Amino acid sequence: MMHPVIQHILERKGASIPLNDGRKTALILFGGTMTGARGAGAVTALEELCLNKAFDMIFTISAGFPNACYFLTGNTHQGASIYYEELCSKEFISMPRVWDIVDIDYGLNVIKNKKPLDYEALSRTQTDLYVRLLNISTGKPEYRNVKGKTPEELELVMHAAVSLPYLNPGSVELEDGRFKDAGTMDSDMIPSVEDVLLSDATDILVIYNRPYQYEHIRSAGIFDSERLYRTVYRRRIFTRVHRSGDRKERHARHGQSRQIDIWRGRIDTALIK
């Protein structure tokens, strides 16, 4: 028997929100720097199922934000390829470069110029797109809805979303303060899920990239249910890798099969009505 959340998501195949089906479908995309490759593969599978316009809300953390942006603009294959073609390099991550271990500017240049994200199309999306950021003034993480922002504003949000604490110095000035990536704060993992449970979503799909994220999700009162990859199909991620080189091949193999998990909360009506 197919899990109701999976059924409700698949019923939206090929459809575009807003829909009058009585449901509010939400997607949560976790981050994790290079482990974001797993999430990129998962949203690639969702796009191939024609579901990139089917979610009312997408909540993102760290690398989950660029993954969501390529997903909403219908270009997940290009977005996913960034992990194994550009980011597997010393230009992006260099431990000896202690003052700037992760060169965010390099990654942002790839997103803007080499494999350009269509910020114009993103600014027109009907999906409520939330990004989890650390407010420097308050010292607290918060979800910010960037739906309807201009391409220029979205570019700044992208910079803030991937500005890793401790690994990349500085923060980004947005319209009402300075912000940076809140994704590495373990203390925020549970609240980041609980905030989504407090939304009006009826169906929630969570894509996580690391085992400890799973533990935090469970601590928020959510337990695993069906596996979408068992119900739909098991997707091989990064099958278009043609380059050689140990690091590129290793990252490609690491992401070859990634499960997409469906979750139900401790209060059924928080997710399924």
Side-chain angles (χ1 to χ4, degrees):
M1 180 179 177
M2 185 178 293
H3 187 276
V5 173
I6 300 175
Q7 180 180 339
H8 298 152
I9 291 172
L10 293 179
E11 285 173 355
R12 290 185 166 198
K13 182 176 181 179
S16 299
I17 60 166
L19 298 170
N20 295 318
D21 58 3
R23 315 210 66 78
K24 279 289 188 77
T25 302
L27 174 65
I28 304 178
L29 297 175
F30 277 86
T33 316
M34 289 304 293
T35 60
R38 293 172 170 175
V43 294
T44 298
L46 292 176
E47 182 182 314
E48 291 188 354
L49 288 169
C50 301
L51 292 169
N52 55 311
K53 296 182 179 180
F55 290 92
D56 298 281
M57 299 169 281
I58 299 181
F59 295 84
T60 69
I61 304 164
S62 192
F65 184 69
N67 287 347
C69 292
Y70 280 101
F71 174 62
L72 289 173
T73 55
N75 201 8
T76 55
H77 281 286
Q78 179 165 275
S81 72
I82 292 174
Y83 288 96
Y84 59 83
E85 290 188 343
E86 279 77 31
L87 302 189
C88 295
S89 67
K90 291 181 179 179
E91 286 83 2
F92 183 59
I93 299 178
S94 176
M95 297 305 292
R97 193 175 57 216
V98 293
W99 63 92
D100 192 14
I101 294 175
V102 179
D103 189 346
I104 297 301
D105 290 334
Y106 171 79
L108 292 171
N109 181 61
V110 172
I111 292 173
K112 182 177 181 179
N113 298 308
K114 190 170 183 179
K115 295 184 175 177
L117 173 67
D118 191 345
Y119 283 109
E120 288 283 353
L122 186 62
S123 69
R124 297 191 298 269
T125 183
Q126 296 300 303
T127 297
D128 285 308
L129 177 58
Y130 294 86
V131 56
R132 192 78 168 177
L133 296 177
L134 175 65
N135 187 321
I136 301 301
S137 298
T138 65
K140 297 180 179 180
E142 59 186 61
Y143 276 119
R144 298 174 66 85
N145 190 348
V146 299
K147 176 183 176 181
K149 297 289 186 183
T150 66
E152 294 75 19
E153 290 172 325
L154 289 168
E155 195 170 344
L156 286 173
V157 172
M158 178 67 74
H159 191 170
V162 298
S163 293
L164 301 165
Y166 311 116
L167 297 179
N168 179 260
S171 55
V172 179
E173 183 75 36
L174 301 181
E175 69 272 13
D176 56 347
R178 300 196 68 84
F179 296 84
K180 71 181 310 170
D181 178 11
T184 58
M185 297 180 61
D186 286 350
S187 60
D188 185 51
M189 284 292 184
I190 296 175
S192 68
V193 177
E194 290 177 335
D195 285 353
V196 181
L197 291 175
L198 293 174
S199 72
D200 60 351
T202 59
D203 303 82
I204 300 176
L205 168 62
V206 181
I207 296 173
Y208 68 94
N209 303 318
R210 293 180 174 179
Y212 77 85
Q213 293 171 346
Y214 170 80
E215 296 304 323
H216 285 297
I217 291 167
R218 286 180 60 88
S219 297
I222 305 175
F223 54 91
D224 51 300
S225 181
E226 293 290 332
R227 304 285 192 182
L228 182 58
Y229 80 107
R230 290 177 185 166
T231 305
V232 186
Y233 65 93
R234 189 178 179 102
R235 160 113 179 108
R236 287 185 65 82
I237 299 168
F238 301 157
T239 54
R240 298 187 180 184
V241 177
H242 301 298
R243 296 176 135 196
S244 60
D246 290 342
R247 279 186 298 178
K248 291 182 177 63
E249 290 177 350
R250 185 164 62 250
H251 280 282
R253 288 196 300 269
H254 192 53
Q256 278 182 344
S257 59
R258 178 60 188 166
Q259 63 199 29
I260 305 173
D261 295 343
I262 295 294
W263 308 91
R264 289 189 66 187
R266 54 176 173 249
I267 304 174
D268 289 346
T269 55
L271 305 178
I272 303 172
K273 291 182 180 178

